[in-house]
């Protein structure tokens, strides 16, 4: 009976304010229209590194998480935001968001706070990256925002995936499929 309750809790779609929400497709547009292809190419590489970090956490592999985290930070820092020809306020907004994500990754790599610390940093990176994607977009891509209500002592946590299948980076094989898709971003 307890397993049934846990399973039911893991499969409840929720939004950040706790309301239930069905997964839906939302076409989004980047601020200022379409960015140069160079930016989107860089973002695809960046997201690949993010998905590798998530996969390492699913496997509870701290070394692979550190390698993927370093790659993600490198690709974020290499995004051609300054060369996109945006006005200064938009450039500043994007640069600030990228800087925040990069700083969180730097902290993760320096602290070496074990698997739980890496997962906590991953949660913050995931939330910030989601906000960045809402502004910048990711041409010809679908990103799934997923949620586990039991992560971090039932505080819950989000992550991003390129697949609808749930592979929980906060619990790994302990509760691999705990979670639900709460948002689908189609760019």
């Amino acid at each position: 009976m307890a397993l049934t309750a846990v399973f039911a809790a893991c499969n409840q779609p929720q939004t950040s304010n706790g309301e239930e929400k069905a997964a839906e497709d939302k076409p989004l547009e980047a601020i200022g229209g379409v960015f140069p292809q160079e930016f989107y190419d860089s973002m695809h590489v960046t997201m690949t590194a993010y998905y590798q970090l998530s996969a390492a956490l699913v496997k509870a592999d701290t070394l692979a998480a550190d390698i993927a985290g370093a790659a993600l930070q490198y690709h974020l820092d290499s995004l051609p935001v300054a060369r996109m020809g945006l006005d200064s306020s938009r450039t500043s907004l994007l640069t600030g968001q990228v800087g925040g994500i990069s700083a969180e990754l730097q902290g993760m790599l320096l602290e070496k706070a074990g698997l739980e610390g890496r997962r906590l940093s991953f949660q913050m990176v995931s939330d910030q990256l989601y906000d960045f994607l809402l502004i910048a977009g990711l041409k010809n891509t679908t990103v799934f925002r997923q949620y586990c209500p039991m992560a971090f002592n039932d505080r819950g946590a989000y992550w991003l995936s390129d697949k609808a299948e749930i592979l929980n980076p906060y619990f790994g094989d302990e509760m691999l499929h705990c979670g639900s898709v709460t948002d689908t971003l189609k760019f």
Side-chain angles (χ1 to χ4, degrees):
M1 195 143 189
L3 279 176
T4 303
V6 167
F7 184 72
C10 284
N11 291 313
Q12 294 299 315
Q14 294 187 6
T15 61
S16 58
N17 64 6
E19 297 174 358
E20 289 190 17
K21 175 182 173 185
E24 58 186 42
D25 298 339
K26 290 196 271 184
L28 300 173
E29 293 184 60
I31 57 173
V34 178
F35 295 145
Q37 188 60 42
E38 175 188 11
F39 173 78
Y40 294 116
D41 291 344
S42 294
M43 274 302 299
H44 281 283
V45 173
T46 300
M47 290 305 295
T48 297
Y50 172 85
Y51 298 138
Q52 289 169 343
L53 174 56
S54 180
L57 293 173
V58 166
K59 294 177 184 174
D61 185 339
T62 56
L63 178 59
D66 288 349
I67 292 168
L72 177 56
Q73 182 183 14
Y74 172 80
H75 293 303
L76 279 165
D77 291 344
S78 300
L79 285 173
V81 174
R83 298 189 307 269
M84 290 175 26
L86 300 174
D87 62 53
S88 61
S89 66
R90 289 183 178 157
T91 299
S92 177
L93 173 66
L94 294 175
T95 302
Q97 286 191 310
V98 167
I101 299 167
S102 182
E104 185 61 44
L105 288 164
Q106 183 67 31
M108 180 185 90
L109 296 169
L110 291 176
E111 287 179 24
K112 303 285 185 197
L115 187 59
E116 194 66 19
R118 285 170 179 83
R119 285 176 168 160
L120 186 58
S121 289
F122 177 75
Q123 174 204 7
M124 290 184 251
V125 166
S126 297
D127 290 344
Q128 292 173 8
L129 190 55
Y130 175 77
D131 292 341
F132 182 76
L133 287 172
L134 288 174
I135 293 170
L138 188 59
K139 203 175 199 180
N140 301 319
T141 303
T142 300
V143 177
F144 299 93
R145 188 175 196 208
Q146 300 176 337
Y147 180 75
C148 174
M150 298 179 70
F152 304 112
N153 296 318
D154 296 328
R155 276 193 355 241
Y158 291 92
W159 73 96
L160 305 175
S161 180
D162 57 347
K163 300 171 190 68
E165 177 187 13
I166 303 295
L167 296 174
N168 190 324
Y170 301 112
F171 286 108
D173 62 2
E174 293 174 27
M175 296 176 70
L176 185 61
H177 301 291
C178 177
S180 61
V181 174
T182 61
D183 200 1
T184 302
L185 306 176
K186 288 189 176 191
F187 301 101

